Amino acid sequence: MTTWNLEGMKTHLFICNGSSCMKKDGEEITQAIRDEIQIQALDKEIHTTRTRCNGRCKDACVVIAYPQGNWYRVPTTEHARALVQDVHHESLQSEHVFTLREGLLQRTAQTTAIKGIEKVKEG
């Protein structure tokens, strides 16, 4: 096991490698993100971690940027490479489904992703 020194990291990308994302090229997307980070020499700024299911299977593959709080829908390796550029330049060109505003996750206006079901039933 490796223990990375994460001092100075600007972004931590959590890349979903749950079963739905893996069926939609999660491995290839993970490798494209990591490859682009290396190509752009961003290893000291962007760290990646594979996760299990992040609960947005219809948006496969899902990538979460921390501490920014943006949840991205990354359907192809081309989107994965563009995401690295967006995160590095702090732009929001890639489709993000949720963003953190005022301490709460909020659905973005431009997303084409479905809303999803409520976690808590009212009543």
Side-chain angles (χ1 to χ4, degrees):
M1 290 285 206
T2 302
T3 301
W4 299 107
N5 177 0
L6 301 177
E7 287 182 312
M9 288 290 164
K10 294 181 179 177
T11 301
H12 188 169
L13 296 178
F14 295 93
I15 308 165
C16 185
N17 277 199
S19 61
S20 293
C21 288
M22 293 306 278
K23 289 176 187 171
K24 293 193 176 183
D25 297 331
E27 177 63 28
E28 292 80 2
I29 288 167
T30 300
Q31 293 309 317
I33 288 171
R34 290 177 170 175
D35 184 54
E36 191 65 24
I37 289 169
Q38 186 174 22
I39 289 170
Q40 300 299 323
L42 297 173
D43 289 301
K44 292 186 177 188
E45 292 183 27
I46 303 173
H47 181 69
T48 63
T49 299
R50 294 174 188 255
T51 69
R52 291 292 185 196
C53 181
N54 289 319
R56 292 289 303 178
C57 299
K58 299 264 185 195
D59 298 331
C61 183
V62 174
V63 177
I64 304 166
Y66 174 85
Q68 296 87 342
N70 295 323
W71 290 54
Y72 294 93
R73 184 171 176 235
V74 185
T76 68
T77 56
E78 291 78 23
H79 287 92
R81 291 180 183 281
L83 172 65
V84 172
Q85 293 299 316
D86 289 351
V87 168
H88 175 61
H89 295 293
E90 298 179 9
S91 67
L92 292 174
Q93 301 300 313
S94 296
E95 182 180 356
H96 56 294
V97 180
F98 293 101
T99 191
L100 192 62
R101 281 190 226 124
E102 299 175 14
L104 299 172
L105 277 178
Q106 297 181 18
R107 189 174 157 80
T108 59
Q110 67 271 30
T111 185
T112 60
I114 66 167
K115 183 176 179 181
I117 61 173
E118 297 297 326
K119 287 190 62 130
V120 178
K121 303 229 186 258
E122 295 192 28

